[in-house]
Amino acid sequence: MKKSFLILWVILFSLVSCSVNNEESQHLLWYDRPAERWEEALPIGNGRLGAMIFGGADHELLQLNEETIWAGEPGNNIPGGFREVLPELRSLVFEGKYREAEELAMTRIPRYPPPDNNHGMAYQPAGNLRISFPGHGKVKEYRRELDIGNALAKVTYTIDQVTYTREYLATAADRVIMVRLTAGKKGMINCSLKLDSPHEKWTVRSDKGILALDGVSGDQDNKRGRVRFGIRVLPVAEGGVVTEAGDSLVVSAADAVTLFVSIGTNFNDYRDITGDAGQRADSVLTTVAGKDPAEIRAAHVRDYREYFDRVSLDLGVTDSVRNTTDRRVVDFAHGNDPHLAALYFQFGRYLLISSSRPGSQPANLQGIWNDRVSPPWDSKYTININTEMNYWPAELTALPEMHWPLIGMVKDLAVTGRDAAGEMYGARGWVVHHNTDLWRITGPVDGASYGLWPMGGAWLSQHLWQHYLYGGDREFLTEIYPVLKGVAMFYMDVLQREPEHDWLVVNPSMSPENTHPGGARMAAGTTMDNQLVFDVFSNLVDASGILDWDHAFADSVSRLREMLAPMQIGRFGQLQEWMADWDRADDRHRHVSHLYGLYPGNQVSPWSHPGLFRAARNSLEYRGDESTGWSMGWKVNLWARLLDGNRAHKLITDQLSPAPLEGWGQHGGTYPNLFDAHPPFQIDGNFGCTAGIAEMLIQSHDGAIFLLPALPDAWPVGRVRGLRARGGFTVDFSWREMQVEDVTVHSSLGGNCRLRLPNEVVCKETVLQPVEPGEKNSNPYYRQPRIKDPLNHATVELPSPGLPQTVLVDLATEAGKTYHLNRKQELKPQ
Ligand code: FUC
């Protein structure tokens, strides 16, 4: 980059940055029109309750969700008669008779579930709150916004010089959605409120100044809809009156109105739906009704910012920030708007805090925001990539508490998955296939050709291990050890010796959703499976070592790990997706399962296994960039791990381009409200890209904390605060001219902090130790990638041709202490 351009850029950056900070618009999504479509409406949520706000001046719509309103009732979906055909199925696969194997499996796990089984239940909406404002058809100075820095949505406009303001929030502290209606003049608030629902069975009434809707969720497959829900809306008017008019409420001539929306269901846990929905919704209202709305607002903002403020990201601000957010998405590819990437990053964190709170359900395919009774893929939990992707930002972007709902679900699955392991495979431990739902089903769904992938638990259990690696909580590790052991035990029992090399492999399985030249999906020993089992076994061995128990079991796992199939390089120089060299150069499938080992796994290191690293890069090149939203989100992370910042940024650009508003398709993008498009909407791409942006700035999986591993030319200057690294470290740093400037490392556990940096630094508090290539990191949370390597990929040490020049230093830290490092200035000649 030319120096003069850089200087200009830096000046612009600081000037506009100041003015924008002053305007407090760093974290704003804003629009000059109401939403006409759902994909334009703005999401708020408190983990359990969600609303999409349309913001119409004369007709407001809040589309409401509650996270436990799902079709169906408790119960699993394990298919009968599978175990009887399993030996034959395995033989057919090993004989290469894949189609026959798939046909046989389909007789037990058909595409459409038999009347006595199900393919998972749908997450369903609660209802709609409609507010009419008579006479507000024509308004001026309309503005609709979402402030993700405070989790507040707002609509303002004027009529005859009177300004009307609506503010919306979903508070976890007070467990309600609150809407505050005010006007610049007394007595001007007139509106009527109505509730309805897209469900088949519901009733609505107004009673004692409260609007109440009671309903029940839908039937699906072999399950009856038995989730009862109650929505309550209480308007508290200041001045004016509230009257009942049939099944609606009318507010007249009020100075201000606060609407409280609460939703209760009968759901207690996946086995128990004996709660009282109406009573739950009522009791929340009773608690908030007497409170000062200003206090509720302040408590909400405090509570939200406790999480959100942990991380800040500044990539620079340009004039684009003055445009509406939908315009910025249209312009992103051709303009200069690094701030939109930072906003999109923070929007992912906003969505995670708003859809996944301690004690809530994990974020599903749409987080908690869904207006359809039959949403795409039931808006459930697809665990062959999507649900895991939702949680990629959790640890790294300092939201570990938001990870708990997923960890809780994995603990549930470790119970319900025992039946699937025993009944389907005759195995110990637990297993779950490629989907689950509120009821924690563990059998296959969508027929054997998609669903017979017994690896969901293997992937999900990585999240427990990663939670430990970031936070270092031994008690947590002790608590989840049986879950890790259960998943390892399952693979101990089901692994089969394949005839050609005698490797231990999973059979039958698949490389999620991709077909191979045998015309089928069913296969044995796919690369992703091998990588996943390797991680399952490695986590168990490491956990047993750390806790110093169960050594005999860990030893047997360790021996089996030696017998797993290795990663292999195929005829195009690609990392093979399958055990045989079947990959096609023109395969553009959205799943890049065999690259799990590169990301989110850490089995492919540029420093220790450059051959595999190059092969992974070739595979990704062949796959191409364009795809659905989540696939592009994954590729941002993969290119970051391949240390190619410009290519990662290109993927961000593809993802931040306008998504088609109509229909389904194979090419994703971003909707006006910044929701990711599969299309239609699927939230995983938001979360994947958020993680990817962080992964471009910091990585901590490969023996060190690497700062600026994949910085694109588009972000020459910036600063980030609060990102987390494995081993209990929190790191802030700034950069300029692709060099790290100031770094602050906070250590919560103490121990060696090995940094990999693009340039030399000095530390104010202590002396940094330079690291010799190949030297082992003494920090127990840092493990070099270890792979089974019979192909003798040379293990190289630094420096290796083609890799960026970096320096490696060790910083000895104490728990609870903070360290400051600065770029080492070159000595100027006298
Ligand atoms: C996986 C993907 C689809 C979709 C679905 C929810 O099956 O292959 O693209 O994202 O999950």
Side-chain angles (χ1 to χ4, degrees):
M1 173 173 309
K2 291 237 175 69
K3 213 168 187 176
S4 51
F5 176 74
L6 186 76
I7 294 169
L8 190 75
W9 207 98
V10 171
I11 296 172
L12 242 175
F13 171 85
S14 19
L15 285 181
V16 185
S17 191
C18 293
S19 64
V20 169
N21 279 333
N22 290 346
E23 287 167 21
E24 283 204 334
S25 56
Q26 280 284 15
H27 295 128
L28 276 192
L29 282 69
W30 76 276
Y31 307 82
D32 54 12
R33 284 173 289 118
E36 278 168 22
R37 311 176 56 101
W38 193 86
E39 294 80 4
E40 295 171 317
L42 294 171
I44 58 169
N46 68 359
R48 196 174 64 79
L49 303 178
M52 293 295 287
I53 299 156
F54 283 65
D58 54 349
H59 288 104
E60 173 61 288
L61 167 58
L62 269 78
Q63 184 265 308
L64 301 171
N65 284 105
E66 198 278 349
E67 61 164 4
T68 62
I69 304 175
W70 288 63
E73 58 193 325
N76 210 334
N77 71 329
I78 298 166
F82 177 78
R83 201 170 153 190
E84 288 75 73
V85 298
L86 182 59
E88 191 184 343
L89 207 50
R90 284 176 168 156
S91 305
L92 286 170
V93 170
F94 280 151
E95 285 161 26
K97 297 177 178 159
Y98 304 105
R99 278 177 185 276
E100 288 93 322
E102 209 159 274
E103 274 160 29
L104 175 61
M106 291 294 271
T107 62
R108 304 304 151 114
I109 307 162
R111 181 89 183 84
Y112 299 101
D116 60 348
N117 206 353
N118 72 79
H119 281 181
M121 296 295 118
Y123 173 57
Q124 300 187 313
N128 302 303
L129 170 60
R130 298 179 197 274
I131 317 173
S132 306
F133 295 88
H136 287 209
K138 277 210 169 137
V139 304
K140 287 192 181 143
E141 293 157 39
Y142 179 91
R143 183 178 165 105
R144 179 168 63 97
E145 66 180 44
L146 177 64
D147 170 6
I148 60 168
N150 292 295
L152 297 170
K154 194 156 100 178
V155 167
T156 52
Y157 53 84
T158 61
I159 305 172
D160 299 334
Q161 276 88 51
V162 178
T163 301
Y164 293 83
T165 304
R166 302 176 200 160
E167 194 178 62
Y168 316 73
L169 57 90
T171 158
D174 283 290
R175 300 184 295 153
V176 283
I177 290 169
M178 182 173 103
V179 184
R180 178 117 176 111
L181 311 174
T182 53
K185 202 168 150 193
K186 280 187 179 272
M188 295 300 283
I189 309 274
N190 298 292
C191 61
S192 68
L193 313 171
K194 270 183 182 293
L195 271 176
D196 58 56
S197 176
H199 284 274
E200 264 177 33
K201 298 173 205 158
W202 56 276
T203 57
V204 68
R205 63 187 193 284
S206 61
D207 187 19
K208 301 192 192 86
I210 293 178
L211 208 51
L213 185 146
D214 292 297
V216 64
S217 69
D219 304 339
Q220 198 170 333
D221 298 343
N222 69 336
K223 285 185 172 179
R224 214 153 54 78
R226 286 177 54 213
V227 177
R228 304 201 159 273
F229 60 93
I231 312 176
R232 304 288 181 264
V233 181
L234 167 68
V236 178
E238 292 158 38
V241 286
V242 179
T243 48
E244 285 165 21
D247 57 5
S248 62
L249 292 176
V250 178
V251 178
S252 313
D255 301 336
V257 179
T258 309
L259 304 176
F260 295 108
V261 183
S262 91
I263 309 177
T265 75
N266 60 347
F267 180 88
N268 291 333
D269 65 37
Y270 69 92
R271 291 158 299 201
D272 174 5
I273 47 172
T274 57
D276 185 334
Q279 185 270 331
R280 281 180 178 165
D282 291 337
S283 78
V284 173
L285 279 192
T286 317
T287 321
V288 291
K291 285 198 177 178
D292 177 355
E295 266 173 37
I296 293 177
R297 182 188 195 275
H300 161 67
V301 171
R302 240 188 347 263
D303 167 74
Y304 172 77
R305 291 186 66 155
E306 151 78 25
Y307 301 110
F308 184 80
D309 286 353
R310 289 174 186 171
V311 172
S312 64
L313 174 62
D314 192 348
L315 298 175
V317 180
T318 60
D319 265 346
S320 305
V321 79
R322 303 187 197 289
N323 296 336
T324 58
T325 306
D326 45 347
R327 179 80 240 163
R328 291 173 73 185
V329 173
V330 172
D331 292 345
F332 187 74
H334 313 289
N336 173 20
D337 193 1
H339 177 264
L340 186 61
L343 183 70
Y344 192 72
F345 164 83
Q346 290 289 24
F347 185 59
R349 297 185 67 243
Y350 167 80
L351 292 176
L352 195 62
I353 304 169
S354 306
S355 62
S356 186
R357 286 288 191 122
S360 78
Q361 294 298 315
N364 61 48
L365 285 173
Q366 299 188 188
I368 45 170
W369 299 280
N370 164 39
D371 64 337
R372 307 183 203 193
V373 171
S374 295
W377 288 281
D378 294 327
S379 191
K380 51 186 185 293
Y381 299 105
T382 310
I383 53 180
N384 63 11
I385 171 67
N386 317 85
T387 304
E388 289 88 351
M389 185 177 281
N390 284 0
Y391 287 88
W392 286 351
E395 300 293 330
L396 178 61
T397 79
L399 301 172
E401 298 90 339
M402 281 66 220
H403 214 168
W404 292 348
L406 182 76
I407 291 167
M409 180 167 87
V410 180
K411 289 182 188 165
D412 292 344
L413 292 170
V415 176
T416 58
R418 269 189 236 141
D419 290 343
E423 289 174 34
M424 289 182 65
Y425 301 91
R428 297 167 300 162
W430 62 278
V431 66
V432 49
H433 294 79
H434 95 300
N435 271 236
T436 189
D437 62 12
L438 181 74
W439 314 109
R440 308 304 190 234
I441 59 163
T442 51
V445 313
D446 299 340
S449 65
Y450 279 95
L452 194 55
W453 181 73
M455 308 304 296
W459 196 343
L460 283 174
S461 67
Q462 304 306 321
H463 284 255
L464 279 57
W465 178 245
Q466 292 299 325
H467 184 71
Y468 167 73
L469 285 188
Y470 275 90
D473 181 348
R474 268 180 85 98
E475 235 174 80
F476 169 77
L477 189 62
T478 311
E479 186 194 318
I480 55 124
Y481 184 83
V483 178
L484 300 183
K485 184 168 179 173
V487 74
M489 220 171 222
F490 173 76
Y491 295 106
M492 264 180 131
D493 288 0
V494 300
L495 287 174
Q496 304 288 305
R497 279 179 187 276
E498 57 84 27
E500 200 181 332
H501 315 82
D502 216 21
W503 291 329
L504 281 182
V505 297
V506 182
N507 174 19
S509 186
M510 64 190 68
S511 188
E513 310 196 16
N514 203 358
T515 42
H516 58 71
R521 294 194 184 85
M522 202 152 291
T526 64
T527 299
M528 180 188 230
D529 285 6
N530 305 332
Q531 294 169 340
L532 281 170
V533 178
F534 185 89
D535 274 353
V536 163
F537 285 176
S538 300
N539 298 347
L540 187 285
V541 170
D542 289 348
S544 150
I546 293 162
L547 298 172
D548 193 16
W549 69 26
D550 214 11
H551 295 295
F553 182 76
D555 287 348
S556 50
V557 167
S558 188
R559 279 193 296 278
L560 288 185
R561 186 174 57 179
E562 293 306 308
M563 298 159 75
L564 296 175
M567 284 184 267
Q568 301 180 81
I569 299 174
R571 60 186 194 248
F572 305 117
Q574 88 285 10
L575 182 67
Q576 278 177 213
E577 179 162 1
W578 319 88
M579 200 160 48
D581 193 0
W582 284 338
D583 302 53
R584 296 187 332 258
D586 61 349
D587 184 356
R588 301 278 177 272
H589 200 272
R590 59 194 177 282
H591 284 262
V592 279
S593 307
H594 49 315
L595 299 184
Y596 161 87
L598 177 65
Y599 184 90
N602 78 330
Q603 298 174 28
V604 180
S605 160
W607 314 102
S608 53
H609 294 91
L612 287 174
F613 182 77
R614 273 195 300 277
R617 187 185 170 104
N618 287 340
S619 289
L620 196 56
E621 285 283 8
Y622 281 118
R623 243 357 184 250
D625 292 348
E626 258 183 78
S627 194
T628 56
W630 63 258
S631 180
M632 294 195 286
W634 195 350
K635 288 169 188 166
V636 176
N637 290 277
L638 289 167
W639 282 113
R641 285 277 171 103
L642 289 167
L643 311 181
D644 190 335
N646 286 337
R647 191 67 176 266
H649 189 264
K650 197 253 171 194
L651 263 300
I652 294 174
T653 308
D654 291 349
Q655 195 166 343
L656 266 174
S657 61
L661 280 170
E662 298 290 343
W664 290 43
Q666 284 304 315
H667 297 297
T670 297
Y671 291 116
N673 61 5
L674 294 193
F675 269 170
D676 165 71
H678 186 280
F681 165 54
Q682 210 170 278
I683 205 163
D684 38 20
N686 283 102
F687 293 130
C689 196
T690 290
I693 290 170
E695 200 71 26
M696 291 161 76
L697 302 176
I698 188 170
Q699 296 178 10
S700 67
H701 60 285
D702 190 5
I705 301 176
F706 191 171
L707 303 187
L708 298 183
L711 189 68
D713 292 340
W715 305 340
V717 185
R719 70 181 83 90
V720 66
R721 184 182 49 75
L723 292 179
R724 290 170 82 229
R726 291 169 181 82
F729 299 108
T730 303
V731 188
D732 313 336
F733 61 98
S734 61
W735 66 91
R736 187 179 291 264
E737 296 170 47
M738 307 284 166
Q739 303 278 289
V740 168
E741 293 269 312
D742 303 313
V743 185
T744 304
V745 175
H746 178 76
S747 169
S748 64
L749 302 169
N752 188 44
C753 176
R754 177 165 296 177
L755 292 165
R756 185 187 287 284
L757 306 140
N759 51 287
E760 289 193 66
V761 287
V762 287
C763 181
K764 289 181 184 159
E765 290 80 11
T766 179
V767 177
L768 297 167
Q769 296 298 333
V771 176
E772 292 298 316
E775 203 177 300
K776 231 178 146 252
N777 190 349
S778 61
N779 189 312
Y781 300 95
Y782 283 81
R783 290 178 169 79
Q784 303 291 348
R786 287 171 316 181
I787 57 162
K788 179 165 182 275
D789 198 10
L791 300 183
N792 205 12
H793 304 293
T795 301
V796 299
E797 306 295 358
L798 278 174
S800 154
L803 290 182
Q805 287 297 317
T806 56
V807 290
L808 266 181
V809 286
D810 277 350
L811 167 71
T813 71
E814 282 176 45
K817 286 213 168 152
T818 300
Y819 301 83
H820 302 90
L821 298 85
N822 296 98
R823 177 175 175 177
K824 189 169 171 185
Q825 299 300 332
E826 280 158 31
L827 287 179
K828 293 211 175 77
Q830 295 292 316

